[in-house]
């Protein structure tokens, strides 16, 4: 694992975007695994700037997102499809047919999970997977558990995750309690994994995840077993390592 220390959020975002940009330049038809949340917003902003300068071409890129809330339509401004459209997709020359997010409105959860697993297989796997890191160690919506979930599944969100996400909703009662998420095995099969983290509230979990025991109680700890992981964090997030 490689760790890149950034002085602040902006530098963290720039370093992460440079790594993703390098992947796109080296393999124009690459498959990017994408994440949502507040942490990667700056990274996406940097990628948009790269495209606007003429340095990046997303026309052949394909994407698969980690997760989506169950019950939210793509038009809902809190859905992850909406997030991706607003923060990246509609600002670059990517073909929307080449972007994939779980269907939050799927009535048959098991069938939707199987469909999404097949999407990833049909794409030939993920070249670079971008991850954020939850304060409880979740990656995607793989929450602390007694075992590592393997492939796409429907998860019941923990109260800590609901609380953390409530800042994005008008009321905590509006935060969905279920989500579709890519599983640990799907994430671990990515050829390269890029983790971004900022803020001192991530310092404890970074120490546990990357320097503690590998355990499903800290889902991100499994990343210690991957051969090509890069962690980019600001000084506050990396303050305890």
């Amino acid at each position: 694992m490689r760790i890149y220390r950034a002085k602040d959020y902006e530098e963290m975002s720039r370093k992460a975007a440079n790594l993703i940009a390098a992947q796109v330049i080296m393999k124009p038809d690459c498959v990017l695994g994408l994440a949502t949340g507040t942490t990667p917003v700056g990274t996406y902003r940097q990628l948009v700037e790269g495209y606007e300068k003429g340095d990046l071409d997303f026309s052949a890129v394909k994407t698969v997102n980690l997760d989506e809330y169950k019950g939210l339509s793509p038009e809902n401004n809190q859905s992850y499809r909406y997030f991706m459209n607003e923060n990246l997709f509609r600002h670059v020359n990517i073909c929307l047919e080449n972007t994939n997010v779980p269907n939050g409105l799927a009535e048959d959860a098991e069938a939707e999970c199987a469909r999404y697993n097949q999407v990833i297989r049909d794409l030939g796997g993920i070249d670079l997977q971008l991850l954020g890191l939850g304060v409880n160690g979740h990656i995607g919506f793989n929450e602390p558990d007694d075992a590592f979930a393997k492939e796409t599944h429907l998860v019941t969100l923990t109260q800590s995750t609901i609380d953390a996400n409530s800042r994005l909703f008008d009321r905590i009662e509006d935060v969905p309690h279920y989500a579709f998420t890519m599983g640990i095995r799907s994430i671990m099969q990515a050829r390269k994994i890029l983790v971004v983290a900022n803020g001192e509230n991530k310092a404890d979990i970074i120490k546990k995840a990357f320097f503690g025991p590998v355990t499903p109680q800290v889902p991100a700890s499994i990343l210690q077993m991957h051969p090509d992981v890069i962690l980019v964090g600001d000084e506050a997030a990396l303050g305890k390592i």
Side-chain angles (χ1 to χ4, degrees):
M1 183 178 73
R2 287 170 285 167
I3 300 175
Y4 294 155
R5 187 182 297 268
K7 65 180 180 179
D8 55 23
Y9 178 78
E10 289 302 318
E11 185 178 346
M12 180 209 75
S13 300
R14 187 164 56 252
K15 287 179 180 291
N18 287 343
L19 292 165
I20 297 171
Q23 175 66 67
V24 173
I25 292 169
M26 290 187 296
K27 186 179 179 183
D29 61 345
C30 65
V31 178
L32 298 178
L34 300 179
T36 54
T38 55
T39 304
V41 169
T43 299
Y44 293 144
R45 189 183 306 123
Q46 292 285 335
L47 291 173
V48 171
E49 289 181 10
Y51 166 73
E52 291 174 343
K53 291 176 183 177
D55 296 332
L56 291 175
D57 177 11
F58 292 88
S59 61
V61 170
K62 300 176 179 64
T63 70
V64 286
N65 259 76
L66 280 169
D67 40 32
E68 178 61 283
Y69 287 121
K70 189 178 191 311
L72 297 191
S73 71
E75 294 76 29
N76 188 301
N77 64 6
Q78 297 302 329
S79 76
Y80 289 156
R81 164 58 76 176
Y82 186 94
F83 175 99
M84 292 307 308
N85 287 344
E86 292 302 305
N87 285 283
L88 181 64
F89 295 157
R90 74 181 184 87
H91 301 290
V92 299
N93 65 332
I94 198 166
C95 178
L96 284 180
E97 288 76 14
N98 287 339
T99 66
N100 297 278
V101 180
N103 177 13
L105 296 181
E107 294 185 5
D108 187 333
E110 186 175 343
E112 175 58 14
C113 293
R115 182 195 72 81
Y116 208 64
N117 290 332
Q118 191 61 50
V119 166
I120 297 170
R121 285 192 288 269
D122 290 346
L123 289 173
I126 297 165
D127 291 301
L128 184 152
Q129 175 66 58
L130 176 65
L131 296 176
L133 181 63
V135 293
N136 65 355
H138 74 243
I139 47 177
F141 274 132
N142 293 284
E143 299 281 13
D145 205 342
D146 294 329
F148 290 110
K150 293 181 179 180
E151 295 189 311
T152 306
H153 58 288
L154 184 67
V155 64
T156 301
L157 303 182
T158 64
Q159 190 60 48
S160 66
T161 298
I162 292 170
D163 291 343
N165 292 344
S166 65
R167 69 190 186 282
L168 304 173
F169 290 79
D170 293 333
R171 304 177 305 161
I172 193 169
E173 293 84 2
D174 296 332
V175 184
H177 286 219
Y178 301 93
F180 292 103
T181 186
M182 195 185 296
I184 293 293
R185 181 167 67 184
S186 302
I187 293 170
M188 290 293 286
Q189 287 177 337
R191 296 171 185 89
K192 182 187 296 289
I193 294 176
L194 170 61
V195 184
V196 289
N198 71 290
E200 63 178 337
N201 67 321
K202 299 295 176 69
D204 285 333
I205 194 59
I206 284 176
K207 185 175 181 180
K208 287 181 182 178
F210 296 106
F211 297 91
V214 175
T215 169
Q217 294 298 326
V218 183
S221 66
I222 192 68
L223 299 177
Q224 296 180 42
M225 310 299 291
H226 193 280
D228 193 356
V229 174
I230 299 172
L231 168 63
V232 182
D234 67 2
E235 291 181 351
L238 302 182
K240 294 190 176 181
I241 61 171

